[in-house]
Amino acid sequence: MISMNVMIADDQPVFVEGLRTVLTTPNGAHRNVKVVGFARTGQQLLDQLRVHPADLLVLDLNLPDTDA
C-alpha cells in the first residue's frame, strides 16, 4: 500500500479546507493520503516543508509574499 504525504499551499481557506476534506475522507479512494501541512504564504510554506517533508505539493502560484 503506497502512502503519500501532501502539503497544501493556498491563501484561500475555503479551497484548502475543501481539498483537505476530499483527500482525507476515510472511506474514499484517497485513504492512503496524509495531509502533512498547510501554508498561506510563501514563507510559511518553506517553514512547513523543513519540518514536514511532502511527496506532493498542491501550490497556488500567487501566494502572498512571493515573486510570481
Side-chain angles (χ1 to χ4, degrees), residues 24-63:
T24 59
T25 301
N27 296 323
H30 310 289
R31 65 178 169 257
N32 297 327
V33 172
K34 178 181 178 187
V35 177
V36 294
F38 308 96
R40 292 192 177 178
T41 68
Q43 187 59 52
Q44 284 179 354
L45 174 62
L46 294 174
D47 294 342
Q48 284 287 329
L49 287 172
R50 285 184 190 102
V51 177
H52 305 289
D55 302 309
L56 176 67
L57 174 61
V58 179
L59 174 64
D60 176 357
L61 294 178
N62 293 313
L63 289 173

